Amino acid sequence: MFQLPYRSVYTRFLDRVAAHPSKPVFELADGSSISYGKLLKTTQSIAAVLHAAGITTGDRVVVQVEKSPQAIAAYLATLQVGAVYVPLNTAYTDAELRYFLDDAEPAVLIVDPGRAEQARKLAPESAVLTLDRHGNGSLLETKTTRTTVEPVHGDHAAAILYTSGTTGRSKGAVLTHDNLASNCLALLEAWEFTGNDRLIHALPIFHIHGLFVAANMTLVAGATMVWMDAFDAEVVIEHFASATVLMGVPTFYTRLLASPNLSREAAATMRLFVSGSAPLLAADHAAFTQRTGHHILERYGMTETGMNTTNPYHGQRRAGSVGSPLRGVEVIVADAESGTELPAGEIGSIEVRGPNVFDRYWRNAEKTEQEIRDSGFFITGDQGYYDDDGYLYISGRSKDMIISGSYNVYPKEIEQLLDEHPTVKESAVIGVPHPDLGETVVAVIVLAEGRDLDTAALESSLRDDLARFKQPRAYRAVDELPRNVMGKVQKAQLRDHFSELFRS
Ligand code: MCA
Ligand code: AMP
């Protein structure tokens, strides 16, 4: 297997600072830039604040802040002090935040200043620090810097990323320094990403995609990020001329294709368009090639594994396929029961082994044991097959998951809340095709005796408990839920039945 000469993402970033301190790492919307040297200084200031807060190796730093360059410095500072970075979606409500705090038990919690008071109530045991979208807050209120880099081993935890569970409760995937570094190096090689690249960064930075693919690759290669707070198709197209790479989710590409300004000329100087986190429509793949001359490169990853497979940089990028395994990563299609590898053409359980695979679920040995076989293969919950040329196709998911705008939504969590409502006898939450988000969330409700469907009441009952992106965008009442002989709800039937709800 491909051996990693151990050097962490952080130490590789330091090499880049030493090599070119004045090179821009961020180019911002207002035309200003932040150099590698300046990013290190900010990182070291934050490291001083974290150190003063008593952080030691292995402590968790939970971060729920808006996207900013200083948030990347907070991530780097956490690595510098040997702590464990735990980013959370900014859309999470207080109820959701409470769960993550109880589970992660952070020494430090970093939030927007507007949420500080509430955060102190939710996490009385943690030091609460603040950072706003402009990069201001108590996290940066210091005149000192800390240069000591806490020594870490490759198998020490670098981050915990939460991924929702089929039982409705999120599990924290513990990712080690080796996981991050090995995946980053494999991707740099696969996509020929170098210090000459200029990456359009329009993704959120609380997931693998925006943080460990996009930002880590830039920091380790010594490249530059054209930094955007959020995705706006027109702004992105305007910046093609000064960039080389875009990393996006399928919704980015659907929205780019909807713009009349997407053209061969606009994209002429770009060298690579990457898509991942959810299935890219074959039609979008073809339309993008027709409009720009570029073949989108689709890849496949997961929170627990980082990136697993990619279409080739050189060679044919096949629409509908997620390509073949990255160097050092084994991806097999196996019989779900036995774990035995299946031949090309047969659909089975997609399983992954390699230096990218997470260490364990945080404080959940039972789940870790269920999902990682003795052989070391991690059972992804995705189903697929290889073609005769070694290209992998994802054909379905054994896990009951919806991917809306490339955010994962677990039906169980929503069903549990809906079932508590007095007007609901039972519910089934499904994903149906959506022209912009890929899939969107629909709640199918069996009403309690004598009750009417009151969408507004159901919506308001979920408001405080669920992030907006998880909330159903349609409610439909049915007399009963279709079940098989075992009594299991047949969601495929419901998905078929409601598949046209959002078709334009
Ligand atoms: C925003 N809204 C959504 C979503 N995002 N609703 C459903 N699903 C979503 N994903 C809602 C908001 O609640 C709001 O609703 C309205 O849309 C506008 O919000 P805004 O933030 O302006 O939305 P947007 O700018 O249109 O964002 C859509 C987006 C964004 C660009 C698709 O969600 C996004 O950047 N997604 C990428 C997620 C990502 O990075 N995934 C990677 C994770 P209202 O107005 O009704 O209140 S997966 C991963 O990391 C794995 C390892 C991998 O393979 O990469
Ligand atoms: P998450 O757990 O949030 O990291 O989501 C990972 C899941 O997203 C995978 O298990 C897949 O189901 C899905 N996914 C990621 N990339 C792709 C892709 N290129 N095509 C299809 N599904 C994908």
Side-chain angles (χ1 to χ4, degrees), residues 202-204 207-210 213 230-231 249 251-252 255 276-278 299-303 306-307 404-408 436-437 439-440 468-470 473:
L203 289 160
H207 280 304
I208 300 268
H209 198 165
V213 181
F231 177 80
V249 295
T251 299
F252 283 18
R255 292 185 184 180
S277 307
R299 64 29 168 210
Y300 159 55
M302 276 190 85
T303 298
M307 299 303 104
S404 168
S406 295
Y407 285 146
N408 290 5
D436 180 42
L437 299 167
E439 291 181 317
T440 197
R468 182 79 185 108
F469 70 88
K470 298 180 192 170
R473 295 304 152 108

Side-chain angles (χ1 to χ4, degrees), residues 428 430 444 481-497:
I430 54 169
V444 183
L481 297 175
R483 292 182 190 274
N484 65 12
V485 284
M486 311 289 288
K488 190 169 181 276
V489 176
Q490 298 299 85
K491 289 202 170 173
Q493 271 189 37
L494 291 173
R495 281 193 288 268
D496 278 352
H497 187 75

